[in-house]
Amino acid sequence: APRIPSTRLALHHFDSSYSLHLGALWPSVRAALLCEQKYGALLNNFAAADHVPEELELLNATDFVSEAAQKAQQWQQGAAVGEAARRCQEGSGEGRTMTQAETSPLLCASISSKIKCYTFPRGDITRFRPARLDALGLLDYYLMDAASLLPVLALNVQPDDFVLDLCAAPGGKTLALLQTGFCGHLAANDVSISRTKRLYQILHSYVPREVRDTVSVTSCDGRDWDQVKGGTFHKVLVDVPCTTDRHSAMEEENNIFHRRRTKERQMLPMLQLQLLMAGILAAKPGGEVVYSTCSLSPLQNESVVE
């Protein structure tokens, strides 16, 4: 039989499963998956590059993090007005502003003013120039999928938090966590030694030595982390291996839908569950854990968390 490309197998799988899960949304999501990848430029706060925001704004790029914060604030104000009006209508006379906890703590508390990531408007696939070195030898920004920042924002790191990035390589989220300036200590772990080397390269290219000294990089099996350092972290990011939907639909190299990797793919939810459990056990009582994937699969997302 002729060999069927892994990308076609992946797309067939997505068509049969995601069309049921997403319904009428699937055609537009499918088109987005198959579009050219669009990057955001995460500003490096450690670089001497004050001119970069102005340079990017002249290209019509905007900081989507601050835009989200403004929208959240507008939404919160609108909700507060609505609540005050409702109370007045009920005759309670208690018109008041809704607290953060009464609106959406994740939406409001997760926006870090320290993190800035510039993106071009929807429909604009302009490429950012390659990152440049500053006078200290640090690169001025890091190109990444802007959606990869969302788990970091949701983690809502606070000053002097001990943070664990359980599946850290290749390092974009680790770098973003350091951009907050809040990590008292950051443990970055990945089971793959080759991918950990890439993480080291990113840290050396973007982070000064004194900040790198607050980061410990390890290559343990994340599933065993609680046996190494259980109950020690305020915040834990568990960004697990997954079907990596865009890559699976677009790239033949290292594609998890290759026929030889069927068993590995079927076992992903169990691996994800074990990593999440280890992340929970690594957190202090009262700590916070964010679980994330780059897959649309309910089996790899909601089902694992449930």
Side-chain angles (χ1 to χ4, degrees), residues 288-304:
E288 296 179 40
V289 179
V290 168
Y291 171 85
S292 62
T293 75
C294 41
S295 170
L296 296 163
S297 166
L299 194 62
Q300 298 175 64
N301 292 299
E302 294 90 339
S303 296
V304 170

Side-chain angles (χ1 to χ4, degrees), residues 152-201:
V152 174
L153 294 171
L155 201 60
N156 192 28
V157 177
Q158 299 298 306
D160 300 322
D161 273 351
F162 275 46
V163 182
L164 168 62
D165 188 354
L166 192 61
C167 309
K173 295 180 181 68
T174 306
L175 179 61
L177 285 165
L178 291 172
Q179 297 302 315
T180 65
F182 289 158
C183 298
H185 176 74
L186 175 59
N189 176 74
D190 199 275
V191 69
S192 167
I193 294 175
S194 61
R195 284 164 59 86
T196 305
K197 287 179 181 176
R198 168 70 177 145
L199 173 59
Y200 272 116
Q201 289 173 352

Side-chain angles (χ1 to χ4, degrees), residues 155 162-164 166 225-226 229-238 275-290:
L155 201 60
F162 275 46
V163 182
L164 168 62
L166 192 61
W225 185 269
D226 61 296
K229 290 183 181 178
T232 48
F233 295 93
H234 301 98
K235 302 289 170 69
V236 180
L237 176 59
V238 186
L275 286 167
L276 177 55
M277 288 299 298
I280 291 169
L281 293 171
K284 289 175 176 286
E288 296 179 40
V289 179
V290 168

Side-chain angles (χ1 to χ4, degrees), residues 90-160:
E90 289 173 353
S92 67
E94 293 181 30
R96 63 186 177 90
T97 302
M98 297 177 77
T99 65
Q100 181 174 300
E102 288 173 301
T103 54
S104 171
L106 189 64
L107 182 67
C108 301
S110 69
I111 305 299
S112 168
S113 60
K114 302 270 187 172
I115 294 179
K116 296 189 182 301
C117 184
Y118 281 80
T119 57
F120 290 109
R122 184 173 183 174
D124 184 345
I125 56 169
T126 303
R127 289 279 182 177
F128 288 101
R129 62 160 174 79
R132 294 175 185 153
L133 294 172
D134 71 349
L136 302 173
L138 298 175
L139 292 170
D140 54 5
Y141 56 60
Y142 179 76
L143 296 178
M144 65 189 301
D145 190 317
S148 295
L149 272 185
L150 300 180
V152 174
L153 294 171
L155 201 60
N156 192 28
V157 177
Q158 299 298 306
D160 300 322

Side-chain angles (χ1 to χ4, degrees), residues 1-300:
R3 178 174 170 271
I4 301 173
S6 303
T7 49
R8 192 186 300 176
L9 287 174
L11 200 56
H12 175 73
H13 175 81
F14 297 157
D15 280 332
S16 57
S17 58
Y18 294 166
S19 60
L20 294 175
H21 174 53
L22 295 172
L25 288 174
W26 171 235
S28 61
V29 174
R30 187 184 196 273
L33 271 182
L34 296 173
C35 280
E36 184 178 350
Q37 187 161 8
K38 184 174 171 177
Y39 290 94
L42 173 67
L43 292 195
N44 185 11
N45 293 328
F46 304 115
D50 296 339
H51 64 284
V52 174
E54 184 179 352
E55 176 189 329
L56 296 178
E57 285 164 11
L58 287 172
L59 296 173
N60 202 31
T62 55
D63 172 24
F64 91 88
V65 182
S66 62
E67 280 186 346
Q70 290 167 7
K71 288 176 183 175
Q73 191 174 19
Q74 291 167 2
W75 178 84
Q76 189 174 8
Q77 289 170 348
V81 170
E83 173 70 1
R86 183 183 67 78
R87 288 184 177 275
C88 288
Q89 285 173 347
E90 289 173 353
S92 67
E94 293 181 30
R96 63 186 177 90
T97 302
M98 297 177 77
T99 65
Q100 181 174 300
E102 288 173 301
T103 54
S104 171
L106 189 64
L107 182 67
C108 301
S110 69
I111 305 299
S112 168
S113 60
K114 302 270 187 172
I115 294 179
K116 296 189 182 301
C117 184
Y118 281 80
T119 57
F120 290 109
R122 184 173 183 174
D124 184 345
I125 56 169
T126 303
R127 289 279 182 177
F128 288 101
R129 62 160 174 79
R132 294 175 185 153
L133 294 172
D134 71 349
L136 302 173
L138 298 175
L139 292 170
D140 54 5
Y141 56 60
Y142 179 76
L143 296 178
M144 65 189 301
D145 190 317
S148 295
L149 272 185
L150 300 180
V152 174
L153 294 171
L155 201 60
N156 192 28
V157 177
Q158 299 298 306
D160 300 322
D161 273 351
F162 275 46
V163 182
L164 168 62
D165 188 354
L166 192 61
C167 309
K173 295 180 181 68
T174 306
L175 179 61
L177 285 165
L178 291 172
Q179 297 302 315
T180 65
F182 289 158
C183 298
H185 176 74
L186 175 59
N189 176 74
D190 199 275
V191 69
S192 167
I193 294 175
S194 61
R195 284 164 59 86
T196 305
K197 287 179 181 176
R198 168 70 177 145
L199 173 59
Y200 272 116
Q201 289 173 352
I202 287 177
L203 291 175
H204 279 269
S205 299
Y206 287 88
V207 182
R209 178 185 291 274
E210 61 272 19
V211 179
R212 292 203 303 270
D213 289 342
T214 68
V215 182
S216 59
V217 179
T218 53
S219 294
C220 306
D221 186 330
R223 292 172 289 186
D224 302 326
W225 185 269
D226 61 296
Q227 298 170 24
V228 182
K229 290 183 181 178
T232 48
F233 295 93
H234 301 98
K235 302 289 170 69
V236 180
L237 176 59
V238 186
D239 185 60
V240 293
C242 64
T243 48
T244 321
D245 292 354
R246 177 191 286 278
H247 178 88
S248 295
M250 298 288 281
E251 302 287 339
E252 281 297 312
E253 185 181 355
N254 198 30
N255 194 312
I256 199 164
F257 281 85
H258 192 284
R259 291 189 184 281
R260 292 177 188 168
R261 301 182 70 184
T262 301
K263 187 69 175 176
E264 179 188 350
R265 190 176 76 249
Q266 290 171 343
M267 292 301 292
L268 272 176
M270 181 56 69
L271 170 64
Q272 293 160 345
L273 176 62
Q274 291 168 333
L275 286 167
L276 177 55
M277 288 299 298
I280 291 169
L281 293 171
K284 289 175 176 286
E288 296 179 40
V289 179
V290 168
Y291 171 85
S292 62
T293 75
C294 41
S295 170
L296 296 163
S297 166
L299 194 62
Q300 298 175 64

